[in-house]
């Protein structure tokens, strides 16, 4: 009986959020570091399937850094570096495509199906979704097939949405030269969220969010305003891999995304709790 | 942290139901006996508002027996009885209309608005929704404006539904003579559920359901098949006010309602728990 | 044969109006004074049913002053007066709701059904249609549940219209406190006409219109321009109960209503003749 | 005042018909004999324009016998006759097309425009509407370009209807050989009514209808059942030009037309009175 | 095999045009001089039917000068001339209508049907498509029923288009006086193209286009800019019957037509080659 | 000029096919053997892009046998064989996915983009399109992740079609166990064509079709009836890799595909010529 009352309370609390988010798009960047364990993977994808169940439109963008590194090493590639950046030559790019499009993407699609959802695996090249322009190293040298998102064409996503599929997207871009380009997954997620005018953009990471003192969860900054970001980068509070995430958040906010979140994806059901309970977790960056 | 896991678990459990019931109609007969306390009233109506929030289509049918009795007594009416049934003459009928349509119905509409929902108060006469034919006493004597539902025209309900209103219906019928007729609320709820091909018809009562031994919750019958009902009436296990409920359930099932429920509306959030958790409460009558 | 020619002539005259008004909304304020006789009532409601038949969208707003006074007197209420205004305390308000929503509204709905139309009885609280704010006496004292229309939400009306129902509305408003408020019916009609961008707003009264010399039909002003109204009030030509009507007309015109009319509802089929023949009756107030 | 009451009475009487016929198709065969006078022509076309105003879908099929005869005589054609039927050779057919499509049809379209309607003049060849097969004389001899309707393709009419045009149709058919064929206008009207599943098919003639004693209006048969027609032909009560009309009525009824009428089109506003007043005129043939 | 490669090459070349013109409107003025031979007629109309097959929306406007002259001569009309212009009195106008609407128009419709298309023959009066105002001679004298297009109402064309018919239009205009007016066919085509915001307006003539040296195909001007037209008229390079064509092109371009063409309609399949191959023929006038 | 006439003739010939196939689905199985040269690849994909241009709905299913063999060999896998069939164990299956989904599929998508089309690369697992059940060797032994299409869910394809994308599908199936299964590409193409009720199913091979005497193009069977197939297999005329193609044709025909074709994809623009010219190439199998 007490348990019943407890259950009812949680549902009473959650239901208004369900109404609020109905039909809204949430782009989830699902980083490699949070996909390590089988359990974490299941929990996160289950949250995404449930979001779809209650009428939201989740869109998953995955990365693949570690797997790519492992694969190139296995094949005995010796990477060239310019200005500290690995050059993505044609053979490397072929491996990138196979790993992102042929392995990780397929694995996520499979698991979503196993959890009762319906997924469609895509790369940013499908339907010319992510158009990429070649980037150079800081010193202006060519570093191969590394791209920057220059335009997003969301028609494929919109068409799949009408049939209630969950799109799972590998961060590959289509160059003007017709070649595939490797695109930073954080940036891809932000650009897609912006093009879809998503309600939310959520980065699942393996840290609690942006902390005043690095890795000290007690110093977590719950809310950061967009205009404070550049100052926090300067102070070094936002640093390393958190920088492209924060910058993609800014860009997405500018294009009309309502809220962006950087949360700890290793907490069980972090996504569900962030979205359907009043106690937010992690850091939100707001306009 | 533990609390978070608990919350997540309940949401994970509840969400598939939300998908399952999305867009489905649930007719709730909300009897007078369960509307006694202010708290019970709020809890029940909140459940109905939440059902709407998560995409269901609740339809409320209320009764008004006690208030009518109180009102006629206050006005000093001396009721005539034939075969044990109170004769509803014209002056009584006018009181019935004022109480049902002008008091109880309005009170429920007000409270739903206060809880954040949008309600529209109707009587069965609106849009010629409940067409009634005059009934007689068992010995064939006229007992006034007492009717039986002869036809349901659900167009008003369907039209309101499209705009996301919760209809709240007073059990008045429209006779072929153009007069208002007093209709049994249990019967009205069943007939409306049938006409709407509702997913569920739920009777909120002040008992735990149908019990083998009357009022002994331990002897509760969780599931009754439609074909067992007549036998249970003969044996006296279904008796008194439970008979019209059970019979309306049968009729509704015949017209395509999927499941019917008789539950204890005095339990906090009984409706929510019945519909969104795997552990059913009360008695369900199934085809 | 001669009769045939006469008939044909009238139809030839009326049909262009039918084309002109097809699909247009006409809000009819149906005052208590014109509802006195059974015959007048039938004639007026028949006109409204016929308007619906030929494709117009009539919306009926009724008052109830006399019946409320009679009912409160019967119950022995002793009304308190402040600045000459009757205080509407909670018990009085409950009577108001019962009379407006449980008696008059139901009676009009019944009669429309008897005349072959399809009506739905509503109060301004349904679907939060008429949102009311509390008004005070001129000296700033509280006079109870008396409201002023602060906002109109016409969604219920629009949804019912699609199913071809005639809405019949009791002038009750929903306060921000969740309470029902007594709203002036003339004002309610004007506000609803404005919200619906009605083609016409027609006040059915028991006088021929606005007359230069009060109650002298020969001095009837056929057409008044909006900007002349305030001057006519100053001069006392518009006075008494005609003032709220004229002011509601002004407000409705401002919100986009095309024409407003004050006509004698006791003339048989006044409404029909006003709308479908070239000879207007009563007074029209135009932008 | 008395006049007002009279007017109101006629409108009250007519309006239910307007509701009844709203959106319904009425095919009017407008014979040459009834188009003689300028006034008759205006009256009839005005009725058709008014029918459109109140939401009906009139379709006009005209003939042209007399004009064709006159034109061929003028050009000095000497017609050949086989089995008493005039042979329509190619030169004659060219005249037929010019008169039907280039003169009469255009004249009706012009007049409808002058009366405030919107007409589109068509021949049965447009959009392959009337497909015709060649007929022979009774003795099996070829009589030229005289056709029988073998199929109706109503797509042009339906497409024009959506834009609220009144189609005016010349009775020309399209042969399988690509040639134009002269088709009996009565038959064409019946076939079109059948294909459109028209509500009514009305023949405007210059007699009061089908009379027991020819030309004695007092012996008019108001209603004839379909199964009685062949007997009335045998008895000679239906004779001459009335035979193809009656037979086309039968065919149309078989294809789903609800009622067919043969009325006196020379009476002013005969069409309007037939359709919008309870007193029918002329003869109706019913299933 | 070589032939196959040749075929494939032509299709590969043509298909992008099919995509480009899909759903686009092309107004074709089909002058009398190019309709002389049976073969030319068939070739041109076949091109139009094929344009419809591949998803374009051709609209045909025809003239009739020569046939009208021949017909009036045959009837022995002695035309009056003012300022060198033939006066179109009422009897002449009646002949014009019969020839344009009852002969030429019907002939084109017939042939389109024979070639597998679906045509609907119209005059500019149908649906009040071409509204005409009376023009006078240069010296200001009345020259009868000669009109200038004052307004185009394209609703009939749009409604027919939805059902995939090819409209074939005779250049008659509807005067404000309800009379038919003779309208220059070149002007009518331009006005219709403008109203439809056509992709292209094509004049089929019997010359190669606009030539620097008259009738010398080698001096053909392939492309003329709109602003150059008046200069070319002054220089006499554009002269005679080419002037109204060029001016109608200018007007059409102003109203949003993308390109206008003056081509030699006597070349077999000139229309097809102009539209579906990269080598244009004739002269194009562009904005 | 002669060239123009030739061009026009080919277009006149091709255009009726464009009308005929408009909006129709054609499933093209694009086998590895025909993808060998860069030129062949471009020609074939250009044909597919052009089919889309003229309103058809091409769906591409590709294989990957040779690339997979090459890749496994490179990785030093030593394949096990049972009953002559290679066992697809988990590591092999991972390679299959990478090659089909991450290499070949991506290459085709890239090239279609380069040719001006819009493609979306999918595997049969996306949207649970191809559901597969595990097959065993003839002797009933397990041969790993080799599947048979048990059900096709075409929703993804239909959703992409609405946005005008060309789907390019890798023949992977989704097992009930959630694993990816290797599915025969010929079979996959046939099953998809059947589910889409395609107009045509075309197998692009490197032989001229089915020949009476193997590899003798002069003995090509142009048309085979479905019922003749089993006899031709018995006789050995249909043999080897042609058997699954012929059987998939039969299955597709049974499910409503209108015609199936086996043609030589190495001929330049074979697809275009087969579909848009009257001279068919290769073998068609018809119901």
């Amino acid at each position: 009986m007490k348990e019943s009352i407890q259950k009812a309370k949680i549902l009473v609390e959650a239901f208004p959020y369900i109404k609020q988010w109905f039909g809204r798009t949430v782009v989830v960047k699902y980083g490699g570091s949070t996909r390590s364990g089988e359990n974490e993977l299941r929990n996160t994808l289950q949250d995404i399937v449930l979001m779809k169940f209650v009428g939201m439109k989740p869109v998953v963008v995955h990365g693949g850094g570690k797997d790519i590194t492992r694969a190139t090493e296995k094949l005995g590639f010796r990477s060239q570096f310019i200005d500290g950046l690995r050059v993505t030559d044609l053979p490397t790019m072929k491996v990138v495509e196979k790993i992102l499009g042929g392995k990780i993407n397929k694995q996520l699609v499979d698991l979503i199906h196993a959890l009762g959802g319906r997924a469609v695996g895509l790369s940013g090249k499908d339907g010319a979704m992510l158009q990429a322009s070649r980037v150079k190293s800081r010193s202006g040298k060519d570093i191969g097939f590394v791209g920057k998102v220059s335009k997003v064409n969301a028609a494929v996503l919109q068409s799949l949405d009408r049939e209630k599929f969950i799109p799972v997207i590998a961060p590959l871009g289509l160059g003007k030269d017709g070649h595939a380009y490797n695109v930073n997954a954080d940036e891809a997620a932000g650009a897609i969220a912006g093009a879809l005018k998503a309600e939310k953009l959520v980065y699942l990471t393996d840290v609690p969010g942006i902390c005043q003192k690095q890795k000290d969860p007690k110093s977590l900054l719950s809310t950061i305003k967009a205009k404070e970001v550049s100052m926090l980068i300067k102070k070094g509070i936002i640093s390393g891999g958190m920088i492209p995430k924060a910058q993609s958040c800014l860009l997405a906010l500018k294009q009309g995304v309502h809220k962006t979140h950087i949360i700890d994806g290793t907490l069980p059901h972090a996504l569900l709790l962030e979205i359907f309970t009043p106690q937010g977790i992690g850091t939100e960056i707001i306009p």
Side-chain angles (χ1 to χ4, degrees), chain A:
Chain A
M1 178 71 188
K2 212 178 134 186
E3 197 200 316
S4 286
I5 291 172
Q6 174 62 4
K7 270 192 190 184
K9 240 177 89 183
I10 288 165
L11 294 176
V12 167
E13 194 187 88
F15 279 18
Y17 290 99
I18 292 173
K19 187 196 178 186
Q20 188 174 357
W21 306 135
F22 188 85
R24 305 301 172 86
T25 298
V26 174
V27 175
V28 179
K29 160 68 202 315
Y30 189 18
S33 49
T34 57
R35 289 195 317 268
S36 46
E38 181 74 9
N39 261 351
E40 278 82 354
L41 197 53
R42 290 189 82 85
N43 277 339
T44 302
L45 293 179
Q46 190 176 44
D47 286 5
I48 286 167
V49 168
L50 291 173
M51 283 163 72
K52 193 81 187 180
F53 273 12
V54 296
M56 300 185 76
K57 302 175 174 179
V59 172
V60 179
V61 179
H62 62 82
K66 289 183 184 171
D67 292 85
I68 291 166
T69 309
R70 222 173 296 139
T72 47
E73 280 168 1
K74 225 180 189 169
L75 292 168
F77 283 32
R78 203 178 285 179
S79 300
Q80 201 195 334
F81 284 82
I82 294 179
D83 296 340
L85 290 172
R86 185 198 306 248
V87 176
T88 306
D89 54 10
L90 203 58
T92 308
M93 192 59 212
K94 283 192 175 168
V95 175
V96 167
E97 280 207 76
K98 270 185 229 159
I99 297 300
L100 286 179
K103 194 186 152 199
I104 301 174
N105 192 277
K106 299 282 173 272
Q107 181 195 16
L108 296 178
V109 167
D110 286 0
L111 203 44
I112 289 176
H113 282 134
L115 290 163
R118 283 267 170 113
V120 171
L122 299 169
S123 91
K125 297 193 306 176
D126 289 310
M129 193 201 307
L130 292 177
Q131 286 162 40
S133 59
R134 202 172 185 113
V135 293
K136 303 208 159 169
S137 79
R138 250 162 311 159
S139 61
K141 284 186 187 137
D142 186 71
I143 51 170
F145 296 98
V146 177
K148 212 177 124 67
V149 178
S150 58
K151 206 181 144 186
V152 180
N153 182 335
V156 195
L157 300 179
Q158 282 150 353
S159 110
L160 290 172
D161 168 66
R162 255 175 270 138
E163 290 292 329
K164 305 294 172 212
F165 295 109
I166 301 171
V168 177
I169 305 168
L172 295 170
L174 181 68
K176 283 197 177 163
D177 53 6
H179 271 290
Y181 277 77
N182 197 1
V183 171
N184 178 281
D186 290 338
E187 189 195 334
I192 288 168
L196 292 171
K197 308 263 173 251
E199 181 65 34
K200 286 169 180 297
L201 165 64
V202 184
Y203 287 96
L204 295 178
T205 68
D206 57 356
V207 295
I210 296 170
C211 299
Q212 198 86 23
K213 294 180 198 159
Q214 215 129 9
K215 296 197 177 170
D216 174 4
K218 283 179 199 152
S219 73
L220 180 77
L221 297 166
S222 302
T223 300
I224 294 174
K225 291 204 175 154
K227 58 181 179 189
E228 300 166 354
V229 168
S230 64
M231 185 264 292
L232 290 170
I233 292 176
K234 267 188 208 152
K235 286 193 181 167
I237 291 170
I238 298 176
S239 66
M242 205 54 96
I243 293 179
K245 287 179 181 57
Q247 282 173 334
S248 298
C249 286
L250 288 191
L251 208 69
L253 290 171
K254 232 185 242 170
Q255 291 178 274
V257 172
H258 288 187
K259 251 190 197 178
T260 64
H261 303 261
I262 297 169
I263 67 176
D264 185 349
T266 64
L267 289 177
H269 300 293
L271 208 44
L272 214 62
L273 293 168
E274 171 63 35
I275 291 178
F276 296 107
T277 66
Q279 306 80 18
I281 58 177
T283 299
E284 61 180 22
I285 304 182
I286 60 171

